[in-house]
Amino acid sequence: MPMDFEAPPTDLVTLTRHILSQQLALGEKATGDLTLLLMGIQVTSKYIASNVRKARLINLVGLAGASNVQGEDQKKLDVLSNDIMVNALSASGKVGVMVSEEIDDAIIVKGSKGTYACVFDPLDGSSNIDAGVNVGTIFGVYKIKEGSTGGISDVLRPGKEMVAAGYTMYGSSCNLVLTTGNGVDGFTLDESLGEFILTHPDIRIPDRGKIYSFNEGNSLHFYPPTIDYLNSIKFPANNKPYSARYIGSMVADVHRTLLYGGIFGYPDDKKSKDGKLRMLYEAFPMAFLTEQAGGAAITGSQRILDVIPKNIHGRCPVFLGSKDDVADVQALYAKWDSPDKRW
Ligand code: AHM
Ligand code: MG
């Protein structure tokens, strides 16, 4: 019988249902371990989201009084988010090795028979935390190689070997964006249900965008290809310059780039020879997501997912987004990298 009112949808696709359906599609090959690990990340995201939202009210703003391995002051929310992630992933029983931005050494989960390694930045965008501006959790997952006893070699691997990656953005809405190597899907937390609902199925990044997202305050230090690239989109021959949008939280800047297209960049420069962003838990997961959405992600000259990390907190330059925009950067790097032009 037809309804005479606008009924709410009765067939909600929750994140749990989505992950389970991907597991079922794999048939008997699937062990369910990745499903349980991702369930753990889902719960941590809700818990961190709740703390971020209340931070100002429950004395969670400000410094924790310690610094991390990169010498950065840790905020209270950095420390809390890290503890939430480490506890939940250890308890999942599916993780043998973890790397967190907030912890100097890799964490080997004692007695775990976990078959996955998880790398994460528990709360990225520290400079924005206390202003209530968007921050996020970034994560990547490797499958521990057969025969490995679970150690640092399980994470010192190129990003192209990740089996899953994603981020949760804590903003005006809480969004979890995930890839397991089969496209990218975005979910929005319905706080009344306590569930992430599929709101952005099969995210595809446009081939070319109109927005650029760089910290141009570092221009003094930029190398010639970055300067040439930025000039080419600010003073183009067609008189249609790109718009600038830069939040300073990678999760938020990449989220916008995935949805609207354009380019996000944190280049290497004369001051920071490898750029700022950490390979394992910032550059790789975001590069994996971007490629899965049909975009591209490079260091300037090289595909990010091909880079082999030398240490767990190593950094690399990042240019990611619409594939035609990224190709323009790569062409300038190739030109400046020729023997007579090298900076
Ligand atoms: P963090 O891990 O200490 O938060 O630093 C990473 C953040 C990224 O989210 C963002 O893209 C970048 O640092 C912004 O850096 P800057 O303030 O130099 O523009
Ligand atoms: Mg970070």
Side-chain angles (χ1 to χ4, degrees), residues 68 70 72-73 78 101-102 121 123-129 135 138 214-216 218 246-254 264-266 276-278 281-282 315:
N68 64 17
Q70 11 253 328
E72 298 157 344
D73 287 331
D78 283 327
E101 178 180 320
E102 302 304 336
D121 182 349
L123 201 61
D124 185 62
S126 301
S127 66
N128 283 317
I129 289 180
V135 287
I138 311 173
F214 287 63
N215 183 347
E216 285 195 274
N218 294 328
Y246 187 75
I247 297 164
S249 279
M250 188 187 197
V251 169
D253 284 317
V254 170
F264 165 82
Y266 211 108
K276 173 181 183 188
L277 299 173
R278 272 54 57 113
Y281 40 80
E282 291 173 335
R315 301 168 195 260

Side-chain angles (χ1 to χ4, degrees), residues 192-211:
S192 62
L193 293 175
E195 291 283 355
F196 282 100
I197 307 295
L198 180 64
T199 46
H200 298 73
D202 195 19
I203 294 173
R204 303 299 297 168
I205 183 166
D207 288 346
R208 185 171 283 285
K210 298 180 194 146
I211 298 172

Side-chain angles (χ1 to χ4, degrees), residues 202-267:
D202 195 19
I203 294 173
R204 303 299 297 168
I205 183 166
D207 288 346
R208 185 171 283 285
K210 298 180 194 146
I211 298 172
Y212 73 104
S213 188
F214 287 63
N215 183 347
E216 285 195 274
N218 294 328
S219 294
L220 177 69
H221 310 296
F222 283 166
Y223 288 130
T226 306
I227 294 168
D228 282 2
Y229 176 69
L230 291 172
N231 283 337
S232 78
I233 54 176
K234 291 192 294 182
F235 307 102
N238 67 4
N239 280 331
K240 289 186 181 157
Y242 281 33
S243 279
R245 294 282 184 281
Y246 187 75
I247 297 164
S249 279
M250 188 187 197
V251 169
D253 284 317
V254 170
H255 188 66
R256 184 198 54 248
T257 305
L258 285 178
L259 295 185
Y260 299 172
I263 186 160
F264 165 82
Y266 211 108

